[in-house]
PDB file of all heavy atoms in Angstrom:
ATOM      1  N   THR A  32    -153.732  15.687 311.187  1.00 86.00           N
ATOM      2  CA  THR A  32    -152.630  15.910 310.233  1.00 86.00           C
ATOM      3  C   THR A  32    -151.793  14.656 310.090  1.00 86.00           C
ATOM      4  O   THR A  32    -151.365  14.310 308.990  1.00 86.00           O
ATOM      5  CB  THR A  32    -151.685  17.041 310.701  1.00 86.00           C
ATOM      6  OG1 THR A  32    -152.201  17.594 311.878  1.00 86.00           O
ATOM      7  CG2 THR A  32    -151.487  18.059 309.629  1.00 86.00           C
ATOM      8  N   THR A  33    -151.564  13.989 311.211  1.00 85.00           N
ATOM      9  CA  THR A  33    -150.746  12.772 311.179  1.00 85.00           C
ATOM     10  C   THR A  33    -151.357  11.740 310.243  1.00 85.00           C
ATOM     11  O   THR A  33    -150.657  11.119 309.438  1.00 85.00           O
ATOM     12  CB  THR A  33    -150.626  12.181 312.593  1.00 85.00           C
ATOM     13  OG1 THR A  33    -150.090  13.179 313.444  1.00 85.00           O
ATOM     14  CG2 THR A  33    -149.732  10.964 312.591  1.00 85.00           C
ATOM     15  N   ALA A  34    -152.675  11.578 310.319  1.00 87.00           N
ATOM     16  CA  ALA A  34    -153.350  10.592 309.478  1.00 87.00           C
ATOM     17  C   ALA A  34    -153.117  10.910 308.005  1.00 87.00           C
ATOM     18  O   ALA A  34    -152.768  10.034 307.204  1.00 87.00           O
ATOM     19  CB  ALA A  34    -154.840  10.570 309.794  1.00 87.00           C
ATOM     20  N   VAL A  35    -153.270  12.203 307.653  1.00 90.00           N
ATOM     21  CA  VAL A  35    -153.061  12.604 306.263  1.00 90.00           C
ATOM     22  C   VAL A  35    -151.610  12.337 305.842  1.00 90.00           C
ATOM     23  O   VAL A  35    -151.344  11.791 304.770  1.00 90.00           O
ATOM     24  CB  VAL A  35    -153.420  14.097 306.075  1.00 90.00           C
ATOM     25  CG1 VAL A  35    -153.141  14.519 304.635  1.00 90.00           C
ATOM     26  CG2 VAL A  35    -154.873  14.328 306.429  1.00 90.00           C
ATOM     27  N   THR A  36    -150.684  12.734 306.716  1.00 88.00           N
ATOM     28  CA  THR A  36    -149.260  12.526 306.422  1.00 88.00           C
ATOM     29  C   THR A  36    -148.986  11.049 306.165  1.00 88.00           C
ATOM     30  O   THR A  36    -148.341  10.680 305.176  1.00 88.00           O
ATOM     31  CB  THR A  36    -148.400  12.993 307.610  1.00 88.00           C
ATOM     32  OG1 THR A  36    -148.807  14.293 307.974  1.00 88.00           O
ATOM     33  CG2 THR A  36    -146.926  12.978 307.251  1.00 88.00           C
ATOM     34  N   LEU A  37    -149.469  10.195 307.063  1.00 88.00           N
ATOM     35  CA  LEU A  37    -149.197   8.767 306.943  1.00 88.00           C
ATOM     36  C   LEU A  37    -149.756   8.213 305.647  1.00 88.00           C
ATOM     37  O   LEU A  37    -149.115   7.409 304.967  1.00 88.00           O
ATOM     38  CB  LEU A  37    -149.788   8.014 308.138  1.00 88.00           C
ATOM     39  CG  LEU A  37    -149.044   8.224 309.456  1.00 88.00           C
ATOM     40  CD1 LEU A  37    -149.713   7.419 310.569  1.00 88.00           C
ATOM     41  CD2 LEU A  37    -147.578   7.840 309.332  1.00 88.00           C
ATOM     42  N   PHE A  38    -150.958   8.691 305.282  1.00 91.00           N
ATOM     43  CA  PHE A  38    -151.562   8.225 304.038  1.00 91.00           C
ATOM     44  C   PHE A  38    -150.665   8.594 302.861  1.00 91.00           C
ATOM     45  O   PHE A  38    -150.372   7.759 301.993  1.00 91.00           O
ATOM     46  CB  PHE A  38    -152.959   8.839 303.873  1.00 91.00           C
ATOM     47  CG  PHE A  38    -153.640   8.417 302.602  1.00 91.00           C
ATOM     48  CD1 PHE A  38    -154.202   7.152 302.492  1.00 91.00           C
ATOM     49  CD2 PHE A  38    -153.690   9.272 301.505  1.00 91.00           C
ATOM     50  CE1 PHE A  38    -154.817   6.751 301.322  1.00 91.00           C
ATOM     51  CE2 PHE A  38    -154.307   8.876 300.326  1.00 91.00           C
ATOM     52  CZ  PHE A  38    -154.878   7.612 300.235  1.00 91.00           C
ATOM     53  N   GLY A  39    -150.197   9.860 302.874  1.00 92.00           N
ATOM     54  CA  GLY A  39    -149.311  10.312 301.799  1.00 92.00           C
ATOM     55  C   GLY A  39    -148.052   9.474 301.734  1.00 92.00           C
ATOM     56  O   GLY A  39    -147.653   8.993 300.661  1.00 92.00           O
ATOM     57  N   VAL A  40    -147.431   9.264 302.882  1.00 91.00           N
ATOM     58  CA  VAL A  40    -146.210   8.454 302.940  1.00 91.00           C
ATOM     59  C   VAL A  40    -146.485   7.060 302.385  1.00 91.00           C
ATOM     60  O   VAL A  40    -145.723   6.531 301.566  1.00 91.00           O
ATOM     61  CB  VAL A  40    -145.695   8.369 304.393  1.00 91.00           C
ATOM     62  CG1 VAL A  40    -144.603   7.313 304.506  1.00 91.00           C
ATOM     63  CG2 VAL A  40    -145.169   9.718 304.844  1.00 91.00           C
ATOM     64  N   ALA A  41    -147.613   6.473 302.807  1.00 91.00           N
ATOM     65  CA  ALA A  41    -147.943   5.113 302.383  1.00 91.00           C
ATOM     66  C   ALA A  41    -148.077   5.046 300.866  1.00 91.00           C
ATOM     67  O   ALA A  41    -147.515   4.156 300.220  1.00 91.00           O
ATOM     68  CB  ALA A  41    -149.242   4.663 303.062  1.00 91.00           C
ATOM     69  N   VAL A  42    -148.793   6.031 300.285  1.00 92.00           N
ATOM     70  CA  VAL A  42    -149.001   6.021 298.826  1.00 92.00           C
ATOM     71  C   VAL A  42    -147.658   6.114 298.110  1.00 92.00           C
ATOM     72  O   VAL A  42    -147.352   5.315 297.219  1.00 92.00           O
ATOM     73  CB  VAL A  42    -149.914   7.194 298.408  1.00 92.00           C
ATOM     74  CG1 VAL A  42    -149.931   7.326 296.884  1.00 92.00           C
ATOM     75  CG2 VAL A  42    -151.317   6.977 298.945  1.00 92.00           C
ATOM     76  N   ILE A  43    -146.837   7.089 298.528  1.00 92.00           N
ATOM     77  CA  ILE A  43    -145.560   7.305 297.827  1.00 92.00           C
ATOM     78  C   ILE A  43    -144.689   6.054 297.901  1.00 92.00           C
ATOM     79  O   ILE A  43    -144.199   5.551 296.882  1.00 92.00           O
ATOM     80  CB  ILE A  43    -144.828   8.526 298.418  1.00 92.00           C
ATOM     81  CG1 ILE A  43    -145.613   9.793 298.077  1.00 92.00           C
ATOM     82  CG2 ILE A  43    -143.402   8.629 297.885  1.00 92.00           C
ATOM     83  CD1 ILE A  43    -145.158  11.014 298.806  1.00 92.00           C
ATOM     84  N   VAL A  44    -144.524   5.538 299.125  1.00 90.00           N
ATOM     85  CA  VAL A  44    -143.665   4.367 299.284  1.00 90.00           C
ATOM     86  C   VAL A  44    -144.195   3.188 298.480  1.00 90.00           C
ATOM     87  O   VAL A  44    -143.457   2.505 297.770  1.00 90.00           O
ATOM     88  CB  VAL A  44    -143.549   3.991 300.776  1.00 90.00           C
ATOM     89  CG1 VAL A  44    -142.852   2.645 300.925  1.00 90.00           C
ATOM     90  CG2 VAL A  44    -142.799   5.055 301.520  1.00 90.00           C
TER      91      VAL A  44
END
Side-chain angles (χ1 to χ4, degrees):
Chain A
T32 356
T33 304
V35 178
T36 310
L37 288 180
F38 179 76
V40 169
V42 170
I43 292 169
V44 171

